[in-house]
Amino acid sequence: MGGWKPCAYAESRSPPTWSGCSKQLQRVVTRATQKGQVWACWADSYHTWLFTCEMSLPLSRERGAPVLLVDQYDEAGELKDSGTWVSDQEGKWRRSSG
């Protein structure tokens, strides 16, 4: 993770601070925030990654452990990956296979 740095961040109830995030990513963040999702944006010299997340209460209840729904976007605001992550008994997050 040598050259990675946050490219945007927001404090609770404060507007996001943008440093190098595209307008497309800003639109994704706005939509995610309106839906009650949380987000993080990271960049290195060549790429930008935006992740949006939300807790799935139905899946968490079903599995008996916290479950996150995670989407990954590229610098153009295109959805590149989507997955379900589960917290194990040690508190480590692992991508769920199903």
Side-chain angles (χ1 to χ4, degrees), residues 56-69 83-89 93-98:
S56 172
L57 292 178
L59 288 175
S60 296
R61 288 185 186 114
E62 177 183 307
R63 296 181 186 190
V67 176
L68 285 178
L69 306 176
T84 304
W85 290 73
V86 180
S87 178
D88 66 17
Q89 292 179 341
W93 288 93
R94 302 190 190 284
R95 188 169 186 156
S96 176
S97 58

Side-chain angles (χ1 to χ4, degrees), residues 35-81:
K35 294 187 334 187
Q37 297 175 332
V38 295
W39 57 273
C41 188
W42 295 87
D44 66 12
S45 299
Y46 307 100
H47 303 285
T48 303
W49 298 267
L50 171 68
F51 296 90
T52 62
C53 304
E54 66 181 306
M55 182 72 68
S56 172
L57 292 178
L59 288 175
S60 296
R61 288 185 186 114
E62 177 183 307
R63 296 181 186 190
V67 176
L68 285 178
L69 306 176
V70 180
D71 291 332
Q72 175 193 352
Y73 297 86
D74 66 9
E75 47 276 303
E78 296 292 323
L79 180 64
K80 290 298 181 184
D81 195 12

